[in-house]
Amino acid sequence: MYMEPLGISQKPIVKIIKTNALYASRVTIAYCLLALALFPFQTVKAQNTIQKPKIGVVLSGGGAKGFAHIGVLKVIDSLGIKVDYIGGTSMGSVVGGLYASGYTAKQIDSLFHEINFTELLQDYIPRKSKSFYEKRNDEVYAITLPFKKFNLGLPLALSKGMYNYNLLTRLLHPVHHTTNFKELPIPFVCVATDIEKGKEIVLDKGCLPQAILASSAFPSLFSPVEIDGKMLIDGGVLNNYPVELVKQMGADIIIGVDVQDNLKDRNELKDATRILVQISNLQMIESMKNKIKQTDIYIKPDISAYNVVSFDDGAKIIQAGELAALQHIQQLNIYSNINYKKTPLKKESDSIWINKVSINELRNYTRAYVMGKLGFKTKNKISYTQLVDGINKLNATQNFRSIYYQLNDNNNNDELSITLQESKIRTFLKFGLHYDGLYKSGILTNITQKRSLFRNDVISLDVILGDNFRYNLDYYIDNGFYFSFGVKSRFNQFNRNVATDFNNGSTFSQLGINTLNIDFQDFTNQTYVQTIFAQKFLIGAGLEWKHIKLKSNTLQSSALFENSDYGSVFGYLKYDSFDNKYFPKKGWYLNGDLQSYLYSTNYTEKFNRFSIAKAETGVTRTFFKKINLKFQTEAGLAFGESSVHFMDFILGGYGFMPINNFKHFYGYDFVSIAADSYIKTALTFDFEFYKKKHINFSANFANAENGLFQTGNWLSIPKYSGYAFGYGLETFIGPVEIKYSWSPELPKGYTWFGVGFWF
C-alpha cells in the first residue's frame, strides 16, 4: 500500500477525486488509445525479446535402476517438453544416448522390453554364429581359464561387452555417421573414467556406441574400453551425475533424475555387486549435495527395493520413474508446450552396402582369416544381422580381447572399419565333468594352445580320466574363405554287456547266450581339408587310419575277435543352426558323410573294399513360447562287395557322445541293434516349464537290417520303436538329464541318467 511521506500535508481525499475527475478520465482515455495503437508492436517486441529457456536433462548411473529414466522421459514427452541438451553416466548414458539420437521414451521402453538382459550380461553369442570348432568348444568344457607362465589367471571381466556393443551399434545406426555428439538431434555428452590415471573423461565426440559402452563399463562385469589410448570404465566411479557438463552445454533449466543408492548398512551388503556399488557411491554421496543445488527439478524415484542387476523388474522400475516425475508435475508443467511433440524415430532399412572393409594390421592373424569369420565380401549388400553374425564369429574365436567396428561414409556407401586387439593369452586350461551309462564317469582336462606353429592355428588336447580313459587331439589351421587344414587323433574305449555280437547273432546262437561282455577300443587318426561353401555349409575331405580292437571275457575261446587297421578316404557336408545342442528352440541341421574303406590289415580275413554313406537332418520349432517340437530323421547304408560288421550302425541308449556309427535310440539299451543299413525318425516334445528346466516326451522308430535299401524293407512298418519321458536341467557344467524309456517290443524299460556336456 502506498503511503505519503511524513511531513507532507494531506488533502481530503474526496476533494482530490472531485477536482481531478475530469483530468483523470481524459488521461485514462488517452492511455487506452495509445495502448491499442501500440499493441501489435509491443507483442512483436515481446516475442523477440523473451526466449524460451533451454532445458537440459541429467541422467545418473545405477544399472538396472536406470530403467526409471525411461519412466521420467515418458512423462516429459507427454507434457510436450522439448529437451535441448542431455547428459548421462552409465545406464544414464545408454538411455540418454538413445533419446538424444531421436528415439522417444515410448520407443526406448519398447526396446528395453525386447532385450534379453541375461544374454547381455553373459556376452551371449548365438550358437549359429559359431564355427563348428567353437560349437564343440562351448559344448564340452564347463570352465575355461587363461594359463600363462605356469600360472592360472582369471578373465579381465565376466563380459567383453560385445553383445552390448552389437546392440548399441544396431540401435544407433540412424546416426552412425554422426561423430560430433553436439550434432545429434539432441546434443549429448557422457562420462567415463580413465582407470589408469583416475581421471574423469568427457565423451562428446567419436563413435557413439563405443562412448556409451565405455561410460557403462561396470568394473568386473564388463571389460574396460580403449578410446584414444585410454582404458576407460564406468563414469560413475568419478562422476555419476554430470550436471555441470549439461550446464556448460548451455542449459538454463536442469531436470535431473538420480537413481543412485544411498549408503547401505552391513545387513544390506549381502553380495559382491552391492559392495562394489557401495564403494563407488562413497564419494558420490558427498558430491551430490552440491550437484542437487545445481538442479532445478530434482527427481529421485523410490527404487530402494531394487539393485543394479534387477533387470527382470524393469517394468516396475519404469513405473517408479513415472510416479516420481508425476510428483513434480507442477514444476514440469511450467515448461510444457501443447504444440510440441517429439517425433518417433523411423526405422531404416536393414540392408547395408559394404563398399570396403578396413582392418588394422595384425601380427598373428591374416586378413583372409578375419574376412572368413565375417562371412561376407566387399562390394556386397548384407543385412545388419549378417554383420552382427560375422562380428560374433570373430568374438567366438577368443583370439581378440577387444573388437570395435564402425560404419563410415564412403561415397554414399559404407566402409566397415574394424579395430582388433589380439589377445595376449595363448594358452587355456579347460575342464569338464560327465557321466552316462556307456562311458560311466569321466573328468576332462584340456589344454589349448593358439599360435603354436603358424598364424591362425590352434592345438587342443583332451584327456579324460575316469572309468574309461580317452583322449582327443586336434590341430587346426583356419584360413577363412580359403582351404583350412587339420589333423585329429582320438582314442575311445568302454567295457559293457551288450545285446549284439557284431556278427548277425551267429555268436549268440552258437553259445546259447543273449548278451556279450566286450572291451571296445577305437584309435582313429585323420588329416583333412575343409572350407565354407555358400557362406553356410562346411564341406571337407580327408584321409583316415583307424584301429579297432574288440575282445570279450564271455567267450571261452578266441576272446580277441577284432584287431585290425583300416585305411579310408572320406568327405562330408555339414550345416548347423540350432540355437542349443541339447534343448534347441529354433534352427535346423544337416550332416552328410561318405567314407570308403580301401585297406585293412584284415585280422578276420574277411575284408573287402566297401563304403558307408550316412546322412541326418533335424529341425525344431517353438509353439506358445514354451513348447518346442524337434523332428529328426537319419539313414545310413553300406555298399560294396561286403562290409565289416564292426563298422555297422549300432543303435541303442542315450546321453553319450556318439562315435563311428553308434546311434542313440530310445527304448533299447546301449549297443542293442546292429545292421549295415538303417533308417530312423524321432520326434521330441519339450516343455520348458521354468527357466532352463524341461520336461519332455520322445518317440523314435527305425528299420535296421543288412541290405535294407536293396530289399525295399525300409518303407515297411518300423521294426523297432521306443519312447521316453524325461526331465532336463541346464547347468553351467552341461545338461543334467534323467529319462525313462521303453519299447513295446521288450519286456522291460530302461532308466538313463546323465550329467554334464557329452565328451
Side-chain angles (χ1 to χ4, degrees), residues 332-396:
L332 293 171
N333 263 327
I334 298 172
Y335 310 104
S336 68
N337 184 353
I338 59 174
N339 296 319
Y340 174 77
K341 184 178 181 180
K342 190 176 184 183
T343 305
L345 186 68
K346 294 182 179 179
K347 291 185 178 180
E348 294 188 349
S349 172
D350 191 43
S351 299
I352 309 169
W353 180 268
I354 302 294
N355 192 45
K356 181 182 178 181
V357 177
S358 63
I359 305 168
N360 62 300
E361 186 175 350
L362 300 174
R363 179 179 179 181
N364 297 295
Y365 300 95
T366 62
R367 177 181 174 87
Y369 173 85
V370 176
M371 294 300 298
K373 293 300 177 183
L374 289 175
F376 56 82
K377 298 181 179 180
T378 58
K379 310 291 184 181
N380 197 18
K381 181 180 286 187
I382 64 171
S383 68
Y384 222 103
T385 301
Q386 287 177 279
L387 172 61
V388 173
D389 283 347
I391 297 297
N392 282 334
K393 289 176 183 177
L394 279 173
N395 189 28

Side-chain angles (χ1 to χ4, degrees), residues 196-469:
E196 293 180 301
K197 297 184 178 180
K199 293 183 178 180
E200 174 186 330
I201 303 297
V202 178
L203 300 172
D204 58 2
K205 59 181 179 296
C207 175
L208 182 58
Q210 192 178 19
I212 294 174
L213 189 70
S215 180
S216 56
F218 191 84
S220 75
L221 186 59
F222 296 108
S223 296
V225 178
E226 184 172 341
I227 298 179
D228 297 331
K230 302 180 180 69
M231 298 298 294
L232 305 182
I233 62 170
D234 197 312
V237 175
L238 294 179
N239 187 355
N240 206 32
Y241 188 84
V243 61
E244 64 284 348
L245 297 179
V246 179
K247 289 182 76 70
Q248 290 172 14
M249 295 172 77
D252 302 306
I253 301 297
I254 297 293
I255 302 173
V257 189
D258 182 10
V259 296
Q260 301 173 91
D261 279 327
N262 295 319
L263 294 180
K264 299 183 180 298
D265 59 27
R266 66 183 65 185
N267 297 322
E268 296 176 294
L269 299 173
K270 298 179 180 180
D271 52 57
T273 301
R274 295 185 183 185
I275 291 175
L276 285 172
V277 173
Q278 180 94 326
I279 294 172
S280 67
N281 283 343
L282 291 176
Q283 70 176 35
M284 289 297 109
I285 297 295
E286 186 64 29
S287 65
M288 278 300 298
K289 294 179 181 178
N290 181 56
K291 291 176 181 288
I292 293 173
K293 294 178 181 178
Q294 301 179 62
T295 306
D296 299 280
I297 303 176
Y298 177 71
I299 302 173
K300 189 170 180 62
D302 182 10
I303 47 178
S304 57
Y306 311 102
N307 56 51
V308 294
V309 292
S310 298
F311 295 103
D312 291 339
D313 298 309
K316 296 178 181 177
I317 299 174
I318 292 173
Q319 188 177 19
E322 290 185 65
L323 292 174
L326 291 173
Q327 292 174 1
H328 297 267
I329 192 68
Q330 290 184 344
Q331 292 173 285
L332 293 171
N333 263 327
I334 298 172
Y335 310 104
S336 68
N337 184 353
I338 59 174
N339 296 319
Y340 174 77
K341 184 178 181 180
K342 190 176 184 183
T343 305
L345 186 68
K346 294 182 179 179
K347 291 185 178 180
E348 294 188 349
S349 172
D350 191 43
S351 299
I352 309 169
W353 180 268
I354 302 294
N355 192 45
K356 181 182 178 181
V357 177
S358 63
I359 305 168
N360 62 300
E361 186 175 350
L362 300 174
R363 179 179 179 181
N364 297 295
Y365 300 95
T366 62
R367 177 181 174 87
Y369 173 85
V370 176
M371 294 300 298
K373 293 300 177 183
L374 289 175
F376 56 82
K377 298 181 179 180
T378 58
K379 310 291 184 181
N380 197 18
K381 181 180 286 187
I382 64 171
S383 68
Y384 222 103
T385 301
Q386 287 177 279
L387 172 61
V388 173
D389 283 347
I391 297 297
N392 282 334
K393 289 176 183 177
L394 279 173
N395 189 28
T397 65
Q398 300 181 5
N399 294 330
F400 307 100
R401 59 188 176 95
S402 68
I403 304 172
Y404 299 118
Y405 61 97
Q406 190 173 359
L407 292 168
N408 300 316
D409 186 32
N410 185 342
N411 297 323
N412 296 322
N413 294 313
D414 285 313
E415 175 184 338
L416 177 62
S417 176
I418 302 177
T419 302
L420 303 169
Q421 292 186 338
E422 299 180 50
S423 175
K424 296 181 180 180
I425 304 298
R426 299 171 53 194
T427 309
F428 299 88
L429 285 181
K430 306 176 184 182
F431 305 93
L433 179 70
H434 181 73
Y435 174 85
D436 63 57
L438 182 63
Y439 289 106
K440 305 301 181 182
S441 61
I443 298 175
L444 180 151
T445 301
N446 169 275
I447 183 168
T448 297
Q449 176 76 32
K450 299 185 177 184
R451 311 190 297 274
S452 302
L453 302 175
F454 303 97
R455 301 170 78 180
N456 310 342
D457 77 351
V458 57
I459 185 169
S460 172
L461 174 64
D462 292 333
V463 177
I464 303 160
L465 303 175
D467 293 294
N468 295 281
F469 172 80

Side-chain angles (χ1 to χ4, degrees), residues 547-581:
H547 180 80
I548 293 180
K549 182 178 181 180
L550 278 85
K551 64 179 182 179
S552 173
N553 296 324
T554 304
L555 304 178
Q556 296 180 356
S557 63
S558 187
L560 183 66
F561 55 93
E562 170 62 331
N563 192 24
S564 300
D565 296 330
Y566 296 91
S568 64
V569 296
F570 62 88
Y572 54 86
L573 176 70
K574 297 181 180 180
Y575 176 81
D576 185 357
S577 66
F578 273 177
D579 60 342
N580 186 295
K581 178 179 179 179

